[in-house]
Amino acid sequence: MEKIEHTTVTTNGIKMHVASIGSGPIILFLHGFPELWYTWRHQLLSLSSLGYRCVAPDLRGYGDSDAPPSPESYTVFHVVGDLVGLLDALGVDKVFLVGHDWGAMIAWNFCLFRPDRIKALVNLSVPYHPRNPKVKTVDGYRALFGDDFYICWFQVPGEAEAHFARMDTARVMKKFLTTRDPNPPCIPKETGLKALPDPPALPSWLSEDEINYFATKFNQKGFTGGLNYYRAMNLNWELMAPWTGLQIQVPVKFIVGDLDITYHIPGVKEYLQNGGFKKNVPFLQELVVMEGVAHFINQEKPQEISMHIYDFIKKF
């Protein structure tokens, strides 16, 4: 880990913290919520040893990157803009892209906006869903799951933050990272995060030191930046109207765990397996469903995910 370099890049009006290691073709890793560049620690080490330069930023709002205060500053256009600026700062035209959770959603949009900058994509957990012109994103989730669904609960500025602040940050991180309930996470406003179970013990793939790394950074930065991605979802829906119906035009490998909440949203299994996903992602080359694996797949199965990435990108 001490070989990982840490730099700050000015891009798109913000300062972005970037962790990187290795030399060779660049793989750009995009993390999700509530995470950091650090979620990719295993992949950075293993793939840099296989001849790649691995680059993992803290996305805007997270860790040691700037966090603009307004939710309107967290659209997919802002975040993809940050990343295009990062590639320009690195002096590179095209990269391999890897995303997970929100990072996967950003990656899909990166491929929609700038396919010329992406050699191939390996995305984890969140499949590509084209924009539904009839229903705003958050409204659709509310209709499916009600106001207590976590994405709906996150919408009001300050509300989720106040609940998080009532609990030790390390405990918050443990609740999120160790959850194995594939049902849609609903968090009643009365109980807040207490509705999510505490793990009896940390799983073998997660240590107290690793939890504390996340907790220290979120204690410094707070959760508002990460939550603002959710608060910009309906704004994304409005701004994305010109891209309605567009397909993903880069080579793709998609990986999901069969205990992932994303895999258990009604209709998703059928969408992935029955041709709907392939229709929207025509250059989908591999679809992998990992048995017995939950949402934080790249941390839970680090070697397997690193090999899945390597086996795919080495073809290009």
Side-chain angles (χ1 to χ4, degrees):
M1 289 289 285
E2 65 280 355
K3 292 182 178 162
I4 294 173
E5 302 165 33
H6 294 272
T7 54
T8 301
V9 171
T10 300
T11 171
N12 195 24
I14 66 163
K15 287 189 169 61
M16 175 178 261
H17 164 249
V18 180
S20 62
I21 184 172
S23 58
I26 290 179
I27 310 173
L28 178 62
F29 293 89
L30 308 180
H31 69 80
F33 177 88
E35 296 176 274
L36 303 161
W37 75 269
Y38 189 72
T39 190
W40 300 109
R41 59 198 177 279
H42 305 294
Q43 286 74 36
L44 292 187
L45 297 179
S46 55
L47 288 158
S48 63
S49 73
L50 292 168
Y52 292 89
R53 179 157 180 75
C54 298
V55 177
D58 283 332
L59 297 178
R60 69 163 55 205
Y62 286 95
D64 295 318
S65 293
D66 284 350
S70 165
E72 287 78 31
S73 297
Y74 290 82
T75 71
V76 290
F77 294 93
H78 289 88
V79 186
V80 173
D82 298 344
L83 298 168
V84 169
L86 171 59
L87 297 197
D88 291 345
L90 294 170
V92 61
D93 282 337
K94 296 183 102 163
V95 294
F96 294 111
L97 191 58
V98 179
H100 169 256
D101 186 80
W102 258 107
M105 287 188 264
I106 298 302
W108 293 125
N109 285 289
F110 200 153
C111 293
L112 279 183
F113 302 155
R114 295 302 301 270
D116 59 305
R117 305 301 294 265
I118 309 301
K119 292 180 193 172
L121 168 66
V122 179
N123 244 356
L124 314 178
S125 180
V126 181
Y128 174 61
H129 288 283
R131 178 181 181 274
N132 179 347
K134 298 194 178 85
V135 186
K136 290 187 177 183
T137 312
V138 178
D139 303 11
Y141 283 122
R142 188 172 275 117
L144 260 182
F145 301 120
D147 287 335
D148 290 345
F149 186 58
Y150 76 106
I151 288 173
C152 305
W153 185 67
F154 285 170
Q155 291 303 308
V156 181
E159 197 165 284
E161 290 93 325
H163 278 282
F164 288 11
R166 288 179 203 145
M167 194 176 285
D168 176 67
T169 306
R171 188 178 168 205
V172 173
M173 293 308 305
K174 286 176 186 176
K175 281 177 178 280
F176 275 115
L177 293 178
T178 64
T179 181
R180 303 191 75 69
D181 182 353
N183 294 305
C186 290
I187 305 172
K189 286 189 171 66
E190 309 77 58
T191 56
L193 285 183
K194 289 178 186 157
L196 298 177
D198 288 296
L202 284 180
S204 60
W205 50 269
L206 198 56
S207 71
E208 290 288 348
D209 284 348
E210 289 169 323
I211 286 286
N212 289 335
Y213 185 92
F214 284 110
T216 299
K217 294 297 179 185
F218 279 102
N219 277 333
Q220 291 166 0
K221 183 69 83 181
F223 287 93
T224 299
L227 291 165
N228 279 342
Y229 285 69
Y230 296 93
R231 293 167 184 157
M233 284 175 106
N234 275 355
L235 179 56
N236 283 332
W237 180 87
E238 293 175 20
L239 297 174
M240 287 291 295
W243 286 267
T244 301
L246 215 58
Q247 296 172 313
I248 300 292
Q249 298 285 347
V250 305
V252 172
K253 178 173 187 170
F254 181 71
I255 309 168
V256 65
D258 70 352
L259 296 179
D260 197 320
I261 54 168
T262 61
Y263 192 58
H264 290 264
I265 290 173
V268 166
K269 285 181 200 173
E270 296 75 16
Y271 172 66
L272 288 174
Q273 305 290 355
N274 296 347
F277 183 51
K278 174 77 173 168
K279 183 170 163 238
N280 293 318
V281 187
F283 300 105
L284 177 71
Q285 296 188 12
E286 295 179 58
L287 171 61
V288 179
V289 180
M290 293 178 71
E291 285 185 27
V293 185
H295 182 67
F296 295 95
I297 189 166
N298 48 310
Q299 296 184 77
E300 183 179 342
K301 294 290 181 189
Q303 275 313 112
E304 291 91 329
I305 292 299
S306 293
M307 284 302 100
H308 272 301
I309 295 167
Y310 178 66
D311 289 342
F312 186 59
I313 66 175
K314 71 181 182 187
K315 301 175 188 173
F316 298 93

